[in-house]
């Protein structure tokens, strides 16, 4: 089986490659950013026509946390729309019948019943701090459903919750909440700073999934027959939640990160900064009913991620 992984150098892509390359029955296809601009429609379509993989996995995206989304809304909307449109339509045009698109739990309304079921899509206003990114991801979800319905292809979409793990972006302001806090608390611990300020009130609740669990979920769904996948969802729906089904407040996340990094100073929350969605935890009964469940406990996953981060920082320091 020939599988093209778009975004193989990102956190999700790297996790996928680790699992795919261990399978001798799979040939993985990749393209570096230098060789292929995924926002270039003609180039993407030409590559897909030439390679004709059996399966396309769309793990490529422009991603970031509240700060990045707030500062770069146009880029988050445009880049993600172009990447997914080029790959989804390009796969169809090249005669590739199978595709898995990765969305995000931010596609769901800001104010919706918790845990969030798949049917909540487009039932209310989005969270303003990441609405452009969410709109782009919703377009990808709808493309998968529309192409599957109109052309009979098998295009599926998975909606992972907040991810973490090796290969993440650990920029202190332009990354998601967990890696951003991990890098900041690490620096604060090393510098013995008396205080670390965390954006928001600390009250919002978030769910976290280790990226290796997501990679396993992607391959589990890829190997699931079309009849079982379709039967698990309402008629015409092509997106499925992926998560742990458990969440915790940001204040607890900050305390856990302080513990794993060895930070002993004060944690101060700044309620003048945006909180984002008050709570976001996915209803994962459908995917667990199909036979997949997350396996990596949050505590051990966080500790392993921090170890990876420390090793990576040390390696970069040695090579500098």
């Amino acid at each position: 089986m020939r599988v093209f992984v778009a975004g193989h150098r990102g956190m999700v892509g790297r996790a996928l490659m680790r699992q795919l390359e261990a399978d001798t029955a799979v040939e993985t296809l990749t393209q570096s950013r230098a060789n292929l601009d995924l926002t270039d429609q003609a180039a993407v379509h030409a590559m897909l026509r030439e390679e004709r993989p059996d399966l396309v996995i769309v793990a490529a995206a422009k991603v970031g946390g509240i700060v990045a989304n707030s500062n770069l809304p146009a880029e988050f909307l445009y880049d993600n729309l172009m990447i997914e449109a080029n790959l989804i339509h390009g796969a169809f045009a090249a005669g590739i019948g199978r595709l898995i698109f990765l969305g995000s739990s931010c596609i769901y309304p800001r104010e919706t019943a918790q845990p969030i079921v798949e049917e909540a899509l487009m039932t209310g206003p989005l969270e303003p701090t990441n609405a452009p990114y969410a709109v782009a991801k919703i377009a990808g979800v709808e493309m998968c459903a529309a192409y599957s319905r109109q052309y009979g292809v098998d295009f599926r979409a998975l909606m992972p919750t907040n991810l973490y793990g090796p290969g993440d972006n650990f920029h202190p302001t332009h990354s998601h909440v967990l890696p951003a806090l991990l890098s900041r608390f690490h620096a604060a611990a090393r510098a013995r700073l008396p205080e670390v300020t965390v954006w928001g009130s600390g009250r919002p609740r978030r769910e976290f999934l280790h990226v290796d669990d997501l990679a396993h979920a992607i391959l589990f769904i890829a190997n699931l027959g079309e009849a079982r996948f379709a039967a698990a969802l309402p008629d015409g729906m092509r997106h499925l939640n992926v998560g742990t089904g458990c969440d915790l407040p940001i204040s607890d996340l900050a305390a856990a990160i302080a513990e794993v990094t060895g930070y002993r100073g004060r944690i101060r929350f700044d309620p003048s900064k945006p909180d984002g969605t008050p709570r976001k935890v996915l209803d994962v009964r459908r995917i667990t009913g199909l036979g997949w469940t997350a396996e990596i406990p949050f505590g051990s996953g966080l500790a392993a991620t921090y170890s990876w981060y420390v090793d990576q920082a040390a390696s970069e320091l040695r090579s500098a």
Side-chain angles (χ1 to χ4, degrees):
M1 185 177 183
R2 302 175 75 242
V3 179
F4 172 57
V5 179
H8 73 289
R9 299 297 295 171
M11 176 174 63
V12 176
R14 288 172 186 263
L16 270 170
M17 294 298 290
R18 288 193 293 271
Q19 296 195 25
L20 285 168
E21 289 173 346
D23 187 344
T24 57
V26 173
E27 176 190 354
T28 54
L29 306 173
T30 60
Q31 291 284 339
S32 69
R33 187 175 299 180
N35 290 336
L36 180 65
D37 177 1
L38 292 176
T39 66
D40 183 333
Q41 183 184 75
V44 172
H45 287 199
M47 182 278 295
L48 290 171
R49 286 195 303 268
E50 180 178 348
E51 295 291 349
R52 289 290 299 273
D54 301 297
L55 171 67
V56 172
I57 301 178
V58 184
K62 183 178 183 66
V63 298
I66 287 179
V67 176
N69 275 272
S70 298
N71 292 339
L72 302 169
E75 285 85 348
F76 274 86
L77 181 57
Y78 177 82
D79 287 352
N80 285 300
L81 281 172
M82 294 300 294
I83 289 168
E84 66 202 26
N86 292 341
L87 288 165
I88 293 170
H89 182 74
F92 160 72
I96 300 163
R98 299 182 63 209
L99 177 143
I100 293 180
F101 168 71
L102 297 184
S104 165
S105 59
C106 72
I107 65 168
Y108 295 116
R110 171 185 168 86
E111 304 288 347
T112 191
Q114 304 284 332
I116 307 171
V117 296
E118 286 87 351
E119 290 91 339
L121 180 63
M122 293 193 290
T123 59
L126 298 167
E127 161 57 38
T129 57
N130 58 18
Y133 177 76
V135 167
K137 287 299 184 179
I138 290 170
V141 171
E142 289 299 300
M143 284 189 74
C144 288
Y147 277 68
S148 296
R149 180 173 64 252
Q150 184 172 342
Y151 298 116
V153 292
D154 181 4
F155 289 1
R156 309 175 184 183
L158 296 179
M159 299 303 107
T161 189
N162 300 285
L163 300 173
Y164 73 100
D168 207 344
N169 171 20
F170 290 88
H171 192 282
T173 57
H174 291 167
S175 57
H176 288 112
V177 60
L178 189 152
L181 290 180
L182 201 63
S183 66
R184 290 178 60 206
F185 275 91
H186 170 78
R190 296 302 173 273
R192 298 185 179 182
L193 298 181
E195 181 178 276
V196 171
T197 300
V198 178
W199 270 36
S201 66
R203 291 190 296 270
R205 300 181 67 90
R206 293 292 182 267
E207 174 187 17
F208 295 97
L209 178 71
H210 194 282
V211 69
D212 287 343
D213 271 335
L214 174 61
H216 182 259
I218 294 168
L219 300 183
F220 174 84
I221 293 299
N223 290 318
L224 195 70
E226 164 64 10
R228 284 193 67 202
F229 178 80
L233 294 164
D235 187 37
M237 185 182 290
R238 302 296 293 181
H239 66 281
L240 192 65
N241 289 342
V242 185
T244 65
C246 302
D247 63 350
L248 76 164
I250 296 299
S251 57
D252 286 4
L253 172 66
I257 289 175
E259 179 67 26
V260 80
T261 58
Y263 179 70
R264 299 292 180 261
R266 177 173 177 257
I267 302 173
R268 185 177 73 85
F269 294 91
D270 182 359
S272 70
K273 303 298 185 182
D275 268 339
T277 303
R279 189 185 182 204
K280 190 168 63 174
V281 59
L282 296 179
D283 186 314
V284 294
R285 286 177 293 178
R286 284 194 167 104
I287 194 168
T288 57
L290 288 169
W292 178 88
T293 56
E295 297 180 350
I296 301 173
F298 180 70
S300 58
L302 180 63
T305 299
Y306 180 59
S307 294
W308 181 90
Y309 171 75
V310 171
D311 291 344
Q312 187 74 8
S315 176
E316 291 174 358
L317 186 63
R318 288 194 298 269
S319 61

